[in-house]
Amino acid sequence: GVNYFTGTKKNSTIASVWASVCSPILAENFAHVNNNKPDEPYIEASSNDFILYGSGRRHCKSLTAHLHLLPRSDLLAVVSARFTPAPDTLSIFIELQPNAAAPFVFAVVPRRSEKKLRGDYEDLKHFTKVYSGDKFGLPGAPGSADGLVVLAENMD
């Protein structure tokens, strides 16, 4: 009972902070954000899944940002996360208009996950090179395991 309410509140707080940072950026770059509902800073798919949506930009059909948080409202998941940590994740999907750009492969991932992801995804394994995130101003100290790396076909 209590865990459900405290876990749901914590996830909502995390989502609100995330939306307060990202929504203004989306509003500057897209004509429609979350279907133009200013009273709803994000779409709550569940107590641990939150979505920001943008559309109405030239050459871009849509952008969907999906924040998947640890199900903190589920006591069993919280206890299990103590032994096998599962991070909160943010996935951003950008769908371009057909023929808006040549096909490309691109990902920004934590440095420590790079080898596993390249093994799991054939397009990342065969078509990309690894570039240090510090060259692009991404967070993390250069060469540290906590930084981000860019997987791309080229530096452009």
Side-chain angles (χ1 to χ4, degrees):
V2 171
N3 189 68
Y4 176 80
F5 293 109
T6 58
T8 300
K9 176 70 174 158
K10 184 167 183 172
N11 279 351
S12 292
T13 301
I14 292 169
S16 293
V17 170
W18 168 65
S20 71
V21 170
C22 295
S23 290
I25 296 168
L26 286 178
E28 287 177 25
N29 289 285
F30 291 90
H32 307 285
V33 177
N34 290 343
N35 298 323
N36 292 333
K37 295 180 181 174
D39 55 324
E40 296 179 24
Y42 51 79
I43 299 164
E44 186 172 348
S46 71
S47 64
N48 62 307
D49 285 310
F50 303 89
I51 298 167
L52 284 177
Y53 176 81
S55 66
R57 181 179 173 99
R58 187 174 176 196
H59 303 300
C60 183
K61 193 170 185 178
S62 66
L63 175 139
T64 305
H66 179 224
L67 181 63
H68 180 74
L69 302 175
L70 176 69
R72 291 174 176 87
S73 58
D74 179 358
L75 183 59
L76 184 59
V78 172
V79 170
S80 140
R82 297 276 185 207
F83 301 104
T84 54
D88 295 332
T89 58
L90 173 64
S91 302
I92 301 173
F93 301 95
I94 301 170
E95 185 177 358
L96 300 176
Q97 294 288 358
N99 303 322
F104 64 93
V105 180
F106 173 81
V108 178
V109 299
R111 185 178 311 276
R112 61 175 50 131
S113 304
E114 175 260 324
K115 287 185 181 170
K116 181 183 181 329
L117 288 170
R118 291 191 81 195
D120 291 348
Y121 294 95
E122 292 294 317
D123 53 352
L124 292 176
K125 181 183 353 181
H126 294 293
F127 301 116
T128 64
K129 295 178 184 169
V130 180
Y131 298 100
S132 177
D134 58 309
K135 292 180 182 178
F136 302 97
L138 296 175
S144 78
D146 295 329
L148 297 172
V149 294
V150 175
L151 304 176
E153 296 169 274
N154 58 53
M155 287 282 288
D156 298 335

